[in-house]
Every structure is written in structure tokens, then in C-alpha cells.
Amino acid sequence: MGKSGCLFVVVVVVVMVDYTYMVSAIPDDECPDAYPARENCEFDEVCEDASCKYNQYVTCHLNRCGTCEAVFRGYDNLTVSCNQLTPKCRLLHLEMLHKSRTASRQPGGRRVDDLYDPECEKNGTFKAKQCDDDSNLCWCVDSAGVRVTDKTGDDPKCDQLVRVHLIQIDFSFKVEFVFLKMKEEALRRKVAIKLVKEYTLKATQILEIKVHEISREICIRLGENGTKDPTDISTVAYYIERDLKMNKFTLEVDGKSLQVERESVQVWFFDNEPPRINMKTISPGFAAIIIIIALAILTGIAVFVVVRRRAKEDRQRIQFEVIEGQEMEEHHLAQRMAVAR
């Protein structure tokens, strides 16, 4: 543990399962009269090479109703937008549906207990109250889907969803000490640009990026920070964590790829209120953590103010670096195009 100022320590384990991409078509008789089925719209041409950038747990469906396009749906038959991150709750739900189906087909398959199949609101966020039909127990969660109360057979009072206002992501690389020497600023800039371009974060939501040369550790702090129409940081953190553990969070220094230490990945959640968990129902070690969390809550506002003040200058620099980095990439692209001509 040993992280000062962090309220919650949660590591979500993502289990890799082989996935076979599936396709199917929307029957022409489902098209309304105002949008009749379009002719010369072939299923193979639309869905054969189609893919969903942010969600691998969906299938491609052919929409011929007044158009000819691919529509992606999950196992629950709800449409998914592939142009943006799938909300964490919805993604977990589809992931668990996929695991339950593949576990029943694969030899030795079993139910994964590290994650639960969540109930989501229509907009894809977690419902404040979650329940397990097998055990008939219910509990309250925060906006990251992390349990903040005891599991109970009674109806827990989950009046509203507890908000996660700050997330810290820590991980380290498999590199030699000399490899990162004098490269910290360049690496910070690359991470900032990656968060904005690939994970659709607003630059103002990146509170801080630290690169530790000796430990080869990177620390990223994300928050809503009063940003207009912010990207959900819990969803972003889930995608980043998953990519880190699947070696898809690629970064290069001097043309060499940095390999992430999967065991080093940790995600810390800062909620806007303390958990309501009975000390008697948890292990002594975890109880000690809760005590520390409770003490941290007493100074939580002051800590958050300090964090925001410390992050203000870094955030402004990060925004400049993101813009500068994007402009440099566009400049290099223009140079390459000019040479090609």
C-alpha cells in the first residue's frame, strides 16, 4: 500500500478470453415504411471487415433500412457506439455475458468471481445499488462500480451514486535505469498526447503525470476538474488498466518500445465520501486500510485542494504540451507528404 493521500486501492483483474467475431443481419421486414430496405447492399461487403474500435464484445449487424451501414450490438441486443468509449458499466456487463457464454462452451470453463455482472442505467453508468441473484445480497457502489457498503440481504440505502472525483494510475516499465535518463519530459509529453488522442480525455482532466527515473514508474492522476462535458474518468481508467495488462499501452523512447510490468499496475480511487463498511465483516489487514481511509477522509478536502493547487501548473503545462505535440506531429506529417511529392 504505502500511498499517501489515496482513499481507495482497487485492482480490477481482466481475464483474457479468445473471442470469435460474429456477424448477423437485420431482417428487411423490420424496416419501417418510411425507410424501405435498400437494394444492392450486401452483408459481406459491410460486415466482413468491420470492427468496433472500443468494444470487442459486440457483433456487426447490417442495417439496410434506408441506408447501408454496419450497426454494432451486444449480447443484450442494445446498440453500441464504436466512435467513443463504451461506459465502464456497460462494458463490464457485456464482458461478463461473454465470459458466461464462453465458459459454458470451453473445457474447464468456470465463472469468474473477481468481477460481477453489474446493473447499468440507460446512459451506461452504474446503478447505485447492485445485487447478486445467486446469493440474494445487495450493496452500494461508487461511479467506478466499486463496493462502498457491506453486502446485505436487506435493502441497502443507496440514495445516490457515490462519485469518484480523482483516480490515480501507477505502473512501471521493464527498462534499464540509463534508458530513461534525461527522457522524463519527453515521456510525459507522449503519455499526455496518448491520453487525449486514444482515450478521448480532455486535456484539463489530466491533473498530473509523474515519471520517476529510478523506479521507472509512471503516475497518472485524472479528474473531472470542472471540465465541460468531461470524459468519464472511471471508464478511461478501466480502458487504460486493461490495455496496460494486455500490453496494448504502447510507448516508445528513442525508437524502442517500453514493456509494462503487468504486476505493477495499480488503480487508486478517490471517492467524495467515505465507505460504509462494517469493520467486523472484513479481515484485519483490510480493516487497517479502512481506518487509514477514514483518517484520510478527515483531511480529504484539504488534500484535494493541495492536489489541485499542485496540479494547476502541471495541468497548464500538459495542455500546452498536448497542443505542441499535436502540432509537431502535423508538421512532421506535412514534411513527409512534401517529400513524397
Side-chain angles (χ1 to χ4, degrees):
M1 304 306 170
K3 296 283 183 177
S4 59
C6 293
L7 305 184
F8 289 96
V9 184
V10 178
V11 178
V12 180
V13 179
V14 178
V15 179
M16 289 291 294
V17 179
D18 290 337
Y19 179 75
T20 303
Y21 193 71
M22 301 172 62
V23 293
S24 60
I26 298 176
D28 293 343
D29 56 10
E30 291 185 6
C31 296
D33 294 338
Y35 300 95
R38 184 172 174 178
E39 298 181 359
N40 301 322
C41 180
E42 298 298 329
F43 179 81
D44 292 341
E45 294 180 1
V46 176
C47 282
E48 183 175 9
D49 297 321
S51 62
C52 189
K53 180 178 180 181
Y54 294 112
N55 195 326
Q56 71 267 41
Y57 304 111
V58 293
T59 61
C60 179
H61 299 255
L62 176 61
N63 180 14
R64 293 173 29 132
C65 301
T67 183
C68 184
E69 62 181 4
V71 176
F72 293 88
R73 295 179 181 175
Y75 286 119
D76 52 10
N77 206 34
L78 297 177
T79 302
V80 170
S81 173
C82 294
N83 298 320
Q84 60 188 24
L85 301 181
T86 301
K88 181 181 178 181
C89 183
R90 184 79 200 289
L91 188 62
L92 275 175
H93 173 62
L94 294 176
E95 182 179 341
M96 294 306 293
L97 286 178
H98 175 66
K99 290 181 188 299
S100 65
R101 292 190 175 208
T102 55
S104 63
R105 293 197 301 263
Q106 295 176 349
R110 63 183 180 83
R111 183 176 179 271
V112 178
D113 294 322
D114 297 301
L115 302 176
Y116 66 95
D117 187 0
E119 294 186 47
C120 312
E121 301 287 358
K122 291 182 178 180
N123 62 359
T125 59
F126 288 91
K127 288 188 175 182
K129 184 176 74 172
Q130 299 290 328
C131 296
D132 177 35
D133 293 335
D134 294 335
S135 63
N136 293 320
L137 297 177
C138 296
W139 61 93
C140 305
V141 300
D142 61 16
S143 56
V146 178
R147 182 167 63 90
V148 295
T149 66
D150 291 315
K151 295 183 178 181
T152 176
D154 300 325
D155 188 17
K157 295 181 179 179
C158 311
D159 298 328
Q160 60 183 5
L161 193 66
V162 177
R163 296 297 304 171
V164 174
H165 63 75
L166 180 67
I167 293 179
Q168 178 171 313
I169 306 169
D170 296 336
F171 59 95
S172 57
F173 290 109
K174 302 176 183 178
V175 293
E176 298 297 332
F177 169 82
V178 69
F179 193 43
L180 281 182
K181 192 172 183 61
M182 307 301 292
K183 305 288 196 315
E184 296 93 332
E185 288 302 315
L187 192 54
R188 284 181 66 254
R189 184 180 293 109
K190 288 177 178 289
V191 172
I193 293 174
K194 189 178 187 69
L195 294 178
V196 171
K197 295 185 67 174
E198 296 186 21
Y199 297 96
T200 68
L201 267 176
K202 305 290 179 61
T204 52
Q205 293 184 260
I206 306 174
L207 303 181
E208 187 176 32
I209 298 176
K210 286 185 178 180
V211 178
H212 302 279
E213 177 187 336
I214 297 178
S215 63
R216 308 185 306 276
E217 183 181 72
I218 289 184
C219 174
I220 303 172
R221 287 194 173 189
L222 310 176
E224 294 187 353
N225 193 35
T227 304
K228 183 179 180 181
D229 299 325
T231 303
D232 179 53
I233 57 175
S234 297
T235 295
V236 171
Y238 186 69
Y239 272 88
I240 293 175
E241 181 184 20
R242 189 178 66 169
D243 288 351
L244 285 169
K245 293 183 176 181
M246 295 170 63
N247 292 319
K248 292 184 177 181
F249 194 89
T250 56
L251 287 171
E252 291 188 355
V253 174
D254 294 339
K256 298 180 180 179
S257 296
L258 302 181
Q259 298 295 320
V260 175
E261 291 275 8
R262 293 181 59 185
E263 296 76 12
S264 71
V265 180
Q266 289 185 323
V267 180
W268 308 69
F269 296 93
F270 292 67
D271 284 4
N272 59 7
E273 61 182 71
R276 294 173 283 137
I277 298 178
N278 187 347
M279 296 293 188
K280 295 180 180 180
T281 64
I282 56 180
S283 65
F286 192 69
I289 297 173
I290 297 297
I291 292 173
I292 294 173
I293 290 171
L295 292 174
I297 288 293
L298 297 177
T299 56
I301 295 177
V303 170
F304 187 53
V305 169
V306 171
V307 169
R308 292 189 64 177
R309 286 178 178 174
R310 287 180 56 191
K312 185 175 181 180
E313 293 184 1
D314 284 341
R315 186 169 62 252
Q316 292 173 342
R317 184 165 65 251
I318 287 170
Q319 291 181 54
F320 174 76
E321 289 174 350
V322 169
I323 295 173
E324 181 188 51
Q326 290 174 336
E327 289 178 347
M328 287 295 293
E329 287 186 359
E330 292 172 359
H331 174 68
H332 291 320
L333 178 61
Q335 284 185 324
R336 289 196 296 270
M337 292 177 65
V339 171
R341 291 173 184 171

